[in-house]
Amino acid sequence: QVQLVESGGGLVQTGASLRLSCAGSGPRFSDYTVGWFRQPPGKEREAIASTGWSGFTQYYLDSVKGRFIASRDNANNILYLQMNSLKPEDTAVYYCAARAAEHTRNPAVYEYWGRGTQVTVSS
């Protein structure tokens, strides 16, 4: 059973940076593709990026490209989402999720989810 725990969220001002962490545990966790998702208030969950076992990352959300960077530390079973130049529209609950298959932006096919961490960006 894979378990995921997100951390690093908080309240920041426009232009600030945050680094989210996703700590994973469970058998062969390093083999899993891990996706980052967010759900803004009153909106549907959207895919940000997914990182495979090799560290290759596929980015999905145009509004964060060039500002958000996903990375992976397989030695410690931790994934990171570095978020720079934050904007009020980045306000959301951020989740990481894992699946034992290839990259996809579809949240419905991710098998394991963390509980999320709130990111609030004030103007």
Side-chain angles (χ1 to χ4, degrees), residues 37 45-47 97-99 104-113:
F37 296 83
R45 194 166 297 188
E46 54 190 7
R99 70 188 302 254
T104 179
R105 68 171 70 214
N106 182 4
V109 298
Y110 281 80
E111 302 160 77
Y112 305 101
W113 288 82

Side-chain angles (χ1 to χ4, degrees), residues 12-18 63-64 66-68 82-90 121:
V12 297
Q13 293 186 332
T14 296
S17 297
L18 280 175
S63 63
V64 308
R67 298 190 296 123
F68 289 13
Q82 177 68 41
M83 306 188 298
N84 301 318
S85 302
L86 284 162
K87 305 175 181 180
E89 51 264 42
D90 294 319
V121 184

